[in-house]
Amino acid sequence: MRSLLHGSELSLDRKHRHKYIIDLAQSFLTYGAPTHSLEAQLKRSAKALGVRATFLLLPNVIFISFQADDGVHVTGLHIVTQIGSLSLSQLRATHRVYTKVVRHQWDAQHGWQALKVIGEAVPPFAQWQQCIIAFLAGFTITLLAFDGSTADALCSGIFAALLSTLASFVATSNPLLAKVFELLAAFVISAIARGVYSHTNHRLCYSAISSGGIVLILPGFAVMSAALELSHKTMLTGSLKLVWAIFQALFIVSGCPSHHLIAHT
């Protein structure tokens, strides 16, 4: 009887450790962790928990293979897929959990319970605060990078705030529309900017307004992350991210003049 209880406890503890590693990988993907250090962190977590596991990383995908104690037989293969966005507060909290588990301050069960709490936490900024931040970003970038006037910067800030509101609504309501949101947003913002430019008798700068209005959807973080991974010799994920960022930027740029071509057909 004791041996059966001991075996069930070991099996349950092994499930907790596996679940923690899977949830940790998904949390890192969800909150935008750099891929160049992600594999090392997962290996360090598995080593700290005494779990034999191998990892294969692709953009937005992690393959996790758990092995038996002999290191030969595979006991489980898991595919973690998650298209996430950068969330520094949740990423910092996740890294804090990872550090405590690696340093043996927490066990695996405590770790995945903490990850669950982080995933259910309220975002640090409310929607109206995100709109203000987006307005300030559009306003500032128009003045500094696109040589716009104060009136141009105000229009760009309003468009950026509108874009932030639409992004949060689309991401939570329609996942299918979220995949083409950048292209549609560039088309709509550019069309509105063209209308404002024409309505004000060309007193406002169309290029400054449209460029500052869509600056928040440009793939700057993707390019930075790809360059960081390429510098650390993570060629596969780095090159794929860089190519995708280039195509995404081309799609956004092509969406800006599309309304002008449609109007003249």
Side-chain angles (χ1 to χ4, degrees), residues 26-58:
Q26 187 168 10
S27 297
F28 276 138
L29 284 181
T30 304
Y31 308 138
T35 312
H36 73 278
S37 60
L38 182 54
E39 184 176 3
Q41 291 172 337
L42 293 175
K43 288 182 177 179
R44 197 174 296 117
S45 299
K47 183 179 180 181
L49 295 174
V51 175
R52 293 180 177 269
T54 56
F55 305 92
L56 175 62
L57 275 67
L58 296 175

Side-chain angles (χ1 to χ4, degrees), residues 28-202:
F28 276 138
L29 284 181
T30 304
Y31 308 138
T35 312
H36 73 278
S37 60
L38 182 54
E39 184 176 3
Q41 291 172 337
L42 293 175
K43 288 182 177 179
R44 197 174 296 117
S45 299
K47 183 179 180 181
L49 295 174
V51 175
R52 293 180 177 269
T54 56
F55 305 92
L56 175 62
L57 275 67
L58 296 175
N60 302 322
V61 181
I62 299 179
F63 294 88
I64 304 176
S65 174
F66 294 110
Q67 301 172 351
D69 294 336
D70 55 7
V72 178
H73 298 87
V74 177
T75 60
L77 176 62
H78 299 268
I79 303 176
V80 180
T81 60
Q82 184 70 42
I83 301 177
S85 58
L86 183 63
S87 178
L88 293 178
S89 61
Q90 292 174 308
L91 183 59
R92 182 175 62 250
T94 302
H95 190 271
R96 191 180 300 117
V97 173
Y98 152 78
T99 303
K100 290 186 177 181
V101 173
V102 168
R103 294 177 179 176
H104 302 286
Q105 298 176 0
W106 286 357
D107 58 1
Q109 183 177 3
H110 195 176
W112 68 258
Q113 289 176 349
L115 293 176
K116 184 178 179 181
V117 172
I118 295 172
E120 297 173 351
V122 179
F125 296 103
Q127 182 58 49
W128 65 271
Q129 293 174 319
Q130 297 180 19
C131 289
I132 293 177
I133 295 173
F135 174 84
L136 294 176
F139 181 88
T140 305
I141 200 66
T142 303
L143 292 176
L144 298 180
F146 301 120
D147 294 329
S149 62
T150 304
D152 297 335
L154 288 174
C155 292
S156 298
I158 294 173
F159 290 157
L162 176 63
L163 190 61
S164 176
T165 304
L166 291 177
S168 61
F169 174 75
V170 170
T172 56
S173 63
N174 195 333
L176 183 61
L177 187 60
K179 296 181 179 180
V180 293
F181 173 75
E182 289 82 4
L183 181 60
L184 294 177
F187 177 84
V188 172
I189 294 298
S190 179
I192 297 176
R194 175 67 68 175
V196 172
Y197 170 73
S198 302
H199 185 70
T200 56
N201 295 325
H202 303 174

